[in-house]
Amino acid sequence: MSILIVEDEKKLVDILKIALKGERYSVDVAYDGEDGLAKATKNNYSLILLDIMLPKKDGLTICRELRAREIHTPIIMLTARGSEEDRVEGLNAGADDYLIKPFGLNELFARIRAVLRRRKKTDSDVSKVADLVMDRKKHEVTRSGVVVPLTPKEYKLLDILLSNYGEAINRRKLIDHAWGPSFEETNNELNVHIKYLRNKIDGNKSKSLIHTIRGVGFILKE
Ligand code: CA
């Protein structure tokens, strides 16, 4: 689980960083709005903590721009402004929740867990890692904007790899997802299909996304 903090108050960032790392989240930081938007667009975070008052670009604008670009990473707005109007504005901009400063760390953790839980249920329609995009509504995969035609098995394998981005998926889990739990391999089917999938996704690209974890299975990561 990775969290991006977009916040210009260095002291608060330091506290959040230590606290979140203590909860075993990996943490990335942007100290101004432009850097925040760039990082949120380029990387695939589990969640973004987004301050409203920021240098270069404010949090509400960032939130709107991300949603306009079909980036649906969960966002919790951090705001010193607690009026109802401000909170409504944040939620209208596409934020999932908000926290009013100053807030306690336990409340922050509880909100993060709640947002991630909610998000898991709705499951996002679009997954994006680097320039690889899966749009589940359209049932379409693109890399660098070019459609990659996949067989149903390849699509299912990529789907589970993308849904668990950055985590090693063991062979059994991949087979269960693509063939079903009663399937037993007879001809190294998983490796064969992963090989086809890799050729299509990574074949002529300088940056490979699908990697083998020897003795375990596969992982999709940058
Ligand atoms: Ca601020």
Side-chain angles (χ1 to χ4, degrees):
M1 289 289 193
S2 60
I3 295 187
L4 172 66
I5 305 171
V6 189
E7 167 66 74
D8 57 321
E9 263 174 73
K10 286 227 157 73
K11 260 191 188 163
L12 177 57
V13 169
D14 289 343
I15 292 168
L16 291 175
K17 240 163 120 175
I18 293 166
L20 290 168
K21 282 184 178 167
E23 296 289 297
R24 300 185 51 218
Y25 295 106
S26 68
V27 179
D28 207 354
V29 178
Y31 291 101
D32 68 65
E34 277 175 11
D35 188 33
L37 181 62
K39 284 189 166 133
T41 307
K42 185 169 163 270
N43 306 315
N44 195 5
Y45 299 102
S46 313
L47 185 131
I48 302 169
L49 296 176
L50 182 58
D51 185 27
I52 291 190
M53 305 283 270
L54 287 164
K56 294 189 185 170
K57 201 176 263 266
D58 72 272
L60 289 170
T61 307
I62 295 172
C63 193
R64 281 191 203 100
E65 287 187 18
L66 287 173
R67 297 317 189 218
R69 292 179 198 183
E70 296 290 338
I71 294 166
H72 300 287
T73 312
I75 293 174
I76 298 179
M77 308 284 299
L78 307 178
T79 174
R81 309 187 301 183
S83 79
E84 191 187 350
E85 204 176 296
D86 291 328
R87 296 195 309 253
V88 169
E89 205 183 352
L91 296 174
N92 280 345
D96 295 79
D97 203 354
Y98 55 84
L99 266 169
I100 296 160
K101 294 180 195 172
F103 49 82
L105 289 173
N106 285 331
E107 187 182 4
L108 171 70
F109 297 150
R111 299 248 179 169
I112 289 175
R113 284 194 296 267
V115 165
L116 291 176
R117 252 198 325 269
R118 275 209 307 270
R119 196 43 85 94
K120 232 184 193 148
K121 264 191 213 152
T122 53
D123 216 10
S124 86
D125 292 329
V126 178
S127 293
K128 185 170 173 270
V129 173
D131 56 354
L132 175 68
V133 180
M134 173 178 270
D135 186 329
R136 294 181 180 81
K137 267 192 178 157
K138 291 192 205 157
H139 201 84
E140 183 182 272
V141 173
T142 58
R143 182 139 195 214
S144 310
V146 180
V147 174
V148 183
L150 297 179
T151 66
K153 290 269 181 294
E154 290 159 3
Y155 186 92
K156 280 185 179 167
L157 290 169
L158 184 63
D159 182 23
I160 187 171
L161 285 165
L162 263 171
S163 302
N164 297 275
Y165 161 74
E167 291 171 29
I169 315 286
N170 71 41
R171 300 181 58 86
R172 189 64 245 179
K173 200 171 166 187
L174 288 160
I175 291 167
D176 284 357
H177 189 77
W179 282 269
S182 56
F183 184 80
E184 294 297 336
E185 279 189 287
T186 50
N187 266 322
N188 223 356
E189 284 88 348
L190 180 61
N191 284 12
V192 170
H193 283 82
I194 289 276
K195 191 180 161 197
Y196 292 144
L197 177 63
R198 256 182 172 158
N199 281 342
K200 291 181 181 178
I201 299 293
D202 290 335
N204 53 356
K205 297 284 183 294
S206 57
K207 199 157 72 171
S208 293
L209 296 173
I210 300 170
H211 309 269
T212 307
I213 310 275
R214 275 192 197 290
V216 180
F218 299 90
I219 185 169
L220 193 145
K221 61 172 186 178
E222 280 187 75

